[in-house]
């Protein structure tokens, strides 16, 4: 069979059927005679590659749909410095390698540095040259985590281009987290009633950030006609600007047909300390935990049943993990109760409450409920963003043991330490993590480091570099810390480049650590230059 027209469909059919069932087609494609047909499967792929190049090279412009529309709106932001624009072109191309100012060391994957460049350029209020915006939108299309910053940087020209190119329609559905960067204007009722679901979510999210009351009114108008899965995501949008004004709507959502919608409504209400649900949970929690008359310990009486009122307030009858029923109900009640209940009812601080022994109301010598109580308090601290309780649950920053006291043990933290850390202010979060690493090394620090803002503070960066030096000196292999090393390339303070270069120079030549440190130093030098260009 000889292909005389566009060979793509014939090649596609052959690929679907397999070369063992359909002979490799003959073709008049340019350079087809250079393809070795000894292996039909490999030859088919090479012919497909030639056909692809031919199709792309021969693509004709699409006829205009009508007269040209208005040009893109003006963008009043200052343009990137020339050096920063060249750097963006390199990052978008994804090229790696080069010295980066580090004596020829191989760099990390530059695609991993693109998010930091975008966030920094956005914070500086700069705009890219128009010629780079198509590449920026292509990168954001391929990597959803880039979209918020990329769309903000692309500005009005990016939105104008998205209206012309269907491949970039995501731009019109991407919400900017900063209300100052959001397009203004009245409520778009046509978009709300006729738009794609993603466009409707974006419109509601933007409206909630700009005018929470208008967003609630818009959602209320169509709530009863929305699908359950759509109601769930719309409800998530109410987190922006959540206030007591949303309580009546959320209380009504507790009776929704969907259990997921009911659970989400209950969680949102539990973050409003003055809500009726919070008061009901506080009453249940007060009945479940009380201070003993002696004031020396807490007594736990877990719920005996999960009645209809508890289920309406978002407590499932059965644990999804198979946990014991009473322990499950107890944890859900405590996690949803306002944390201010405990200091107000006992007169004790979070630290004092956590220091108390926990006993059963029937057997006061039992401590079986201690972990359940602490874990529920930890969930409540994360949900309610209570830094005082998060701080108390984490405990003081680890300190080196006294001389001769042996190796320090990692602190016992019930719940997820990284989630509790995320509640603390950024500087305190970094300081606690630095102290942990100084005492315990990097073995258990991956999630803690992930909770810290980037770039890491100089003290935290120094602690990580010191711990890496200890790991290299102990005979450990770099890949045993691959997760942390991957983070260091984009999170270490660039000022630590000199210290990392010293580690590279001190490592055994051609060793894994020598290569790892050289690569890291080169990346840090690259990042330092990258950030300096944005300030020039």
């Amino acid at each position: 069979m000889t292909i005389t027209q566009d060979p793509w469909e014939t090649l596609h059919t052959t690929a679907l059927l397999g070369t063992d069932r359909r002979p490799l087609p003959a073709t008049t494609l340019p350079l087809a005679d250079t393809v070795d047909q000894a292996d039909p499967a490999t030859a088919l792929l090479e012919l497909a590659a030639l056909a692809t190049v031919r199709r792309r090279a021969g693509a004709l412009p699409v006829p205009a749909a009508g007269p040209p529309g208005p040009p893109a709106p003006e963008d009043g932001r200052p343009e990137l410095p020339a050096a920063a624009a060249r750097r963006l072109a390199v990052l978008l191309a994804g090229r790696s390698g080069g010295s980066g100012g580090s004596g020829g060391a191989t760099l990390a994957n530059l695609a991993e540095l693109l998010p930091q460049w975008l966030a920094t350029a956005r914070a500086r209020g700069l705009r890219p040259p128009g010629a780079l915006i198509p590449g920026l939108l292509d990168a954001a299309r391929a990597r959803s985590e880039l979209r918020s910053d990329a769309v903000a940087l692309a500005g009005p020209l990016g939105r104008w281009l998205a209206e012309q190119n269907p491949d970039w329609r995501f731009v019109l559905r991407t919400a900017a987290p900063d209300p100052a960067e959001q397009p203004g204007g009245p409520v778009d009722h046509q978009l709300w009633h006729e738009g794609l679901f993603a466009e409707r979510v974006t419109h509601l999210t933007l409206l909630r950030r700009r005018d929470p009351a208008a967003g609630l009114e818009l959602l209320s108008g169509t709530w009863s006609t929305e699908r359950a899965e759509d109601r769930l995501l719309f409800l998530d949008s109410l987190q922006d600007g959540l206030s007591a004004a949303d309580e009546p709507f959320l209380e009504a959502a507790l009776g929704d047909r969907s259990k997921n919608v009911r659970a989400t409504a209950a969680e949102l209400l539990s973050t409003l300390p003055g809500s009726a649900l919070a008061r009901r949970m506080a009453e249940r929690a007060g009945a479940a935990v009380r201070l003993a008359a002696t004031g020396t310990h807490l007594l736990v009486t877990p719920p005996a049943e999960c009645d209809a009122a508890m289920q309406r307030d978002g407590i499932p009858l059965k644990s999804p993990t198979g946990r014991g029923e009473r322990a499950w109900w107890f944890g859900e009640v405590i996690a949803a109760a306002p944390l201010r209940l405990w200091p107000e009812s006992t007169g004790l601080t979070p630290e004092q409450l956590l220091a108390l022994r926990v006993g059963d109301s029937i057997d006061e010598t039992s401590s079986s409920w201690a972990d359940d109580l602490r874990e529920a308090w930890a969930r409540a601290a994360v949900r309610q963003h209570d830094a005082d309780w998060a701080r108390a649950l984490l405990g003081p920053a680890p300190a080196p043991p006294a001389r001769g006291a042996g190796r320090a043990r990692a602190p016992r933290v019930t719940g997820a330490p990284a989630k509790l850390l995320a509640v603390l202010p950024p500087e305190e979060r970094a300081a606690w993590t630095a102290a942990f690493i100084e005492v315990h090394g990097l073995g258990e620090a991956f999630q803690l480091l992930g909770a810290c803002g980037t770039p890491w503070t100089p003290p935290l960066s120094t602690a990580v570099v010191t711990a890496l030096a200890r790991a290299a000196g102990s005979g450990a292999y770099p890949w045993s810390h691959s997760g942390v090393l991957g983070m260091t390339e984009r999170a270490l303070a660039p000022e630590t480049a000199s210290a990392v270069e010293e580690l590279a120079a001190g490592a055994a030549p051609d060793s894994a650590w020598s290569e790892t440190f050289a690569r890291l130093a080169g990346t840090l030098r690259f990042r330092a230059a990258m950030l300096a260009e944005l300030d020039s």
Side-chain angles (χ1 to χ4, degrees):
M1 179 190 349
T2 300
I3 305 174
T4 58
Q5 298 179 348
D6 184 355
W8 182 257
E9 290 300 325
T10 304
L11 291 170
H12 184 253
T13 302
T14 303
L16 290 175
L17 294 175
T19 53
D20 56 341
R21 297 175 58 190
R22 180 167 182 156
L24 193 66
T27 176
T28 58
L29 280 171
L31 302 178
D33 56 345
T34 65
V35 175
D36 183 359
Q37 301 196 13
D39 179 359
T42 301
L44 178 65
L45 293 177
E46 293 183 0
L47 289 172
L50 287 173
T52 299
V53 173
R54 177 177 178 272
R55 283 160 60 93
R56 290 177 178 175
L60 297 175
V62 177
E74 291 293 326
D75 190 338
R77 296 173 299 171
E79 189 170 289
L80 285 171
R86 289 193 295 270
R87 184 77 62 173
L88 175 58
V90 171
L91 291 170
L92 290 174
R95 296 192 295 270
S96 60
S99 67
S102 62
T106 302
L107 295 178
N109 180 4
L110 297 188
E112 294 302 313
L113 302 183
L114 182 57
Q116 187 173 131
W117 189 98
L118 295 177
T120 306
R122 177 182 180 179
R124 301 288 192 275
L126 302 171
R127 64 177 173 87
L132 292 179
I133 289 182
L136 179 60
L137 296 182
D138 281 340
R141 181 190 178 205
R143 298 174 58 185
S144 60
E145 78 276 12
L146 301 178
R147 289 183 181 178
S148 178
D149 287 331
V151 168
L153 274 173
L157 177 56
R159 291 189 174 274
W160 183 87
L161 288 171
E163 292 171 354
Q164 323 304 320
N165 185 349
D167 287 346
W168 297 330
R169 294 288 292 179
F170 70 87
V171 172
L172 307 178
R173 302 191 294 268
T174 300
D178 183 355
E181 297 174 344
Q182 297 165 10
V187 178
D188 190 336
H189 290 283
Q190 182 177 2
L191 175 62
W192 179 248
H193 289 284
E194 301 176 9
L196 299 173
F197 174 67
E199 293 172 332
R200 299 178 72 213
V201 171
T202 298
H203 182 60
L204 178 61
T205 301
L206 293 173
L207 186 58
R208 280 288 294 185
R209 292 172 185 169
R210 191 169 67 241
D211 187 346
L216 179 63
E217 182 181 359
L218 185 69
L219 180 58
S220 300
T222 60
W223 180 256
S224 61
T225 63
E226 305 288 356
R227 300 181 306 167
E229 54 267 36
D230 294 350
R231 293 198 303 276
L232 181 62
L233 290 178
F234 287 142
L235 207 57
D236 277 337
S237 299
L238 296 189
Q239 294 183 61
D240 290 297
L242 186 67
S243 70
D246 300 310
E247 183 180 356
F249 179 84
L250 293 173
E251 271 287 336
L254 291 176
D256 195 271
R257 301 184 300 275
S258 165
K259 68 177 183 179
N260 290 330
V261 171
R262 295 196 300 270
T264 301
E267 185 167 343
L268 289 173
L269 284 167
S270 70
T271 65
L272 295 173
S275 68
L277 180 138
R279 292 194 296 273
R280 295 192 295 270
M281 288 299 189
E283 184 178 348
R284 295 173 182 129
V289 180
R290 60 185 174 85
L291 185 64
T294 60
T296 58
H297 57 285
L298 297 170
L299 296 175
V300 171
T301 306
E305 62 174 342
C306 185
D307 57 28
M310 290 172 64
Q311 293 180 53
R312 182 181 183 275
D313 283 347
I315 300 179
L317 185 62
K318 299 289 185 181
S319 165
T321 60
R323 194 174 182 183
E325 288 183 343
R326 298 188 73 189
W328 166 250
W329 301 332
F330 174 75
E332 292 298 289
V333 165
I334 301 302
L339 285 166
R340 70 185 186 191
L341 162 71
W342 309 109
E344 290 176 356
S345 63
T346 64
L348 301 176
T349 65
E351 289 81 4
Q352 290 170 328
L353 284 162
L354 290 165
L356 293 177
R357 182 172 59 82
V358 179
D360 192 287
S361 59
I362 298 176
D363 180 7
E364 297 191 14
T365 62
S366 171
S367 60
S368 58
W369 294 103
D371 286 346
D372 295 277
L373 181 59
R374 291 180 69 98
E375 190 270 339
W377 274 341
R379 284 197 286 146
V382 172
R383 184 182 297 180
Q384 299 170 35
H385 302 282
D386 193 307
D388 289 336
W389 272 92
R391 195 174 292 115
L393 286 157
L394 282 168
R403 180 172 297 179
R407 184 179 179 182
R409 292 184 178 180
R412 175 182 174 272
V413 180
T414 303
K419 291 183 178 180
L420 290 171
L421 262 183
V423 178
L424 300 181
E427 289 289 334
E428 185 177 355
R429 199 184 310 164
W432 198 96
T433 304
F436 182 96
I437 291 172
E438 287 172 2
V439 176
H440 303 289
L442 297 170
E444 300 178 35
F446 178 72
Q447 290 185 331
L448 301 181
L449 287 167
C452 295
T454 57
W456 295 331
T457 62
L460 177 55
S461 296
T462 299
V464 171
V465 171
T466 302
L468 286 173
R470 289 202 304 265
S474 70
Y477 291 103
W479 47 87
S480 63
H481 297 291
S482 58
V484 171
L485 283 166
M487 296 174 70
T488 60
E489 293 177 338
R490 58 184 182 273
L492 266 182
E495 296 82 1
T496 58
S498 297
V500 176
E501 286 171 343
E502 291 180 8
L503 293 178
D510 299 324
S511 67
W513 278 110
S514 174
E515 180 181 342
T516 297
F517 287 139
R519 170 190 172 101
L520 177 55
T523 302
L524 292 174
R525 293 292 186 194
F526 184 96
R527 282 177 51 215
M530 175 181 87
L531 298 175
E533 290 162 357
L534 289 169
D535 289 327
S536 61

